[in-house]
Amino acid sequence: MAHKYIDNYREQGARKKLVEELRKKGIEDENVLKAIGTVRRHYFFDETFWNQAYKDIAFPIGEGQTISQPYTVAYQSQLLHVKKGDKVLEIGTGSGYQTCILLELGAKVYTIERQEKLYNLTRQVLPHIGYKANFFVGDGSIGIAKHAPYDKIIVTAGAPTVPDVLLKQLNIGGILVIPVGDEKTQKMVTVLKVGENDYEKIVLDTFRFVPLVGDKAW
């Protein structure tokens, strides 16, 4: 895939329009909207498809994966309530677009991807466009215990249940955001860790993610 890193008035204007579209769809967190307006989503596309980059749609990136719909990225990011300096675990690096949004929000990001080709591509592309995260390849369904605990955990693939192993890797007061359901549709779930073994769960809107694959998933 050929990538070019040029950001002209056309792309800048398209990002502004996307931000306004997301605001109309109910995204209220101004920090999230600012991040969406800053990250150059077209950098994750072959130049042939730049006209698709700022549409509010998911788009194939290979290996059976997609770059997530901007609304979905903004929705999950808003639920995380990221504060500058938060240590965030991202399950499913994918294209790296969500990773960049988290970094723009001021998070220290640990991100894991099971597809080695995507892992190799993303860990090269992100530093090249100015974003530094901690990249790992492996089974995201079990988290990354050696770097736990985390202030926030975001799962970018649909899981059959909320993995206990991820809850145990949260700080008290931490938030886990994860789509839970079957392999076709999921409900977005937010879990707040209020004590060592105490959690508050909120079930929200319906989404459609690629399946989370691993020991604690499909």
Side-chain angles (χ1 to χ4, degrees), residues 1 74 77 112 114 128 168 194-195 213 218:
M1 181 178 288
S77 299
I112 184 167
R114 67 180 296 272
H128 188 71
K168 293 183 185 304
V194 295
V213 177
W218 297 106

Side-chain angles (χ1 to χ4, degrees), residues 14 18 21-22 25 41 45 49-59 67-71 97:
L18 176 60
E21 184 177 352
L22 297 182
K25 289 182 176 180
R41 191 170 185 255
F45 289 67
F49 301 110
W50 275 10
N51 64 332
Q52 303 293 314
Y54 296 106
K55 293 181 179 179
D56 190 24
I57 57 173
F59 200 82
I67 182 171
S68 295
Q69 179 184 358
Y71 174 77
Y97 178 62

Side-chain angles (χ1 to χ4, degrees), residues 81-89 102-110 134 149-152 171:
H81 299 285
V82 175
K83 298 182 180 66
K84 192 170 183 179
D86 273 354
K87 186 177 178 181
V88 178
L89 172 61
L102 295 171
L103 290 167
E104 283 289 345
L105 292 170
K108 182 178 182 181
V109 180
Y110 293 75
N134 301 284
Y150 304 96
D151 300 303
K152 312 287 166 62
N171 271 322

Side-chain angles (χ1 to χ4, degrees), residues 22 47 54 74 142 144 146 160 168 190 192 196:
L22 297 182
E47 188 181 9
Y54 296 106
I142 60 173
I144 310 176
K146 68 179 180 180
K168 293 183 185 304
T190 296
L192 175 64
E196 195 59 47

Side-chain angles (χ1 to χ4, degrees), residues 138-206:
D139 182 357
S141 75
I142 60 173
I144 310 176
K146 68 179 180 180
H147 292 291
Y150 304 96
D151 300 303
K152 312 287 166 62
I153 299 177
I154 178 173
V155 181
T156 63
T161 59
V162 179
D164 288 340
V165 67
L166 296 184
L167 295 174
K168 293 183 185 304
Q169 291 177 32
L170 271 179
N171 271 322
I172 293 175
I175 297 172
L176 166 67
V177 175
I178 179 171
V180 177
D182 58 32
E183 293 179 272
K184 293 185 178 179
T185 61
Q186 304 86 31
K187 292 284 188 181
M188 195 69 71
V189 175
T190 296
V191 183
L192 175 64
K193 188 170 184 175
V194 295
E196 195 59 47
N197 294 296
D198 295 319
Y199 306 93
E200 293 180 358
K201 183 168 77 170
I202 302 170
V203 179
L204 299 161
D205 298 315
T206 301

Side-chain angles (χ1 to χ4, degrees), residues 35-50:
I36 293 286
T38 301
V39 176
R40 293 155 173 79
R41 191 170 185 255
H42 64 284
Y43 283 1
F44 299 92
F45 289 67
D46 186 287
E47 188 181 9
T48 307
F49 301 110
W50 275 10

